[in-house]
Amino acid sequence: MLRPCLYGQVRQSVAFTGKVAGLKDGSKVTLQEKVKGKWVSLPVTTTVKKSTYKLSDKFKTKGTETLRVVDGKTVSKTVTVTVR
């Protein structure tokens, strides 16, 4: 579900796009980040249109972020973003 994005800048918007299989158009997907071993939903959501989605977020601190996209029990592979 998630297209890898390897690098981002602090306060720079980074887009996450993907194609989905098994989700209906109109399904709501949410971006999550792994914090201290637990998945936390970010206030970043969108709906699936024509089997695709696009989310964007701005990173506030430097470091490495592990992210995924979820819709209920459907979960994408994770992607790691290094924020410079």
Side-chain angles (χ1 to χ4, degrees):
M1 285 176 73
L2 195 59
R3 180 183 301 160
C5 174
L6 302 176
Y7 300 101
Q9 298 278 335
V10 173
R11 292 183 295 279
Q12 174 188 20
S13 184
V14 177
F16 300 93
T17 61
K19 292 187 84 172
V20 297
L23 294 181
K24 296 179 180 178
D25 282 359
S27 296
K28 181 177 152 183
V29 294
T30 303
L31 188 63
Q32 291 185 328
E33 81 175 308
K34 199 168 194 178
V35 179
K36 296 182 181 179
K38 295 188 179 188
W39 289 104
V40 178
S41 292
L42 300 173
V44 181
T45 62
T46 193
T47 55
V48 174
K49 296 176 187 165
K50 297 182 182 179
S51 298
T52 63
Y53 66 87
K54 181 177 179 181
L55 297 158
S56 64
D57 194 21
K58 291 183 180 181
F59 298 102
K60 295 176 179 75
T61 58
K62 292 181 179 183
T64 303
E65 304 283 345
T66 302
L67 303 154
R68 70 181 186 180
V69 175
V70 298
D71 171 59
K73 293 182 180 181
T74 303
V75 179
S76 72
K77 292 181 182 180
T78 62
V79 63
T80 301
V81 177
T82 301
V83 183
R84 298 179 176 174

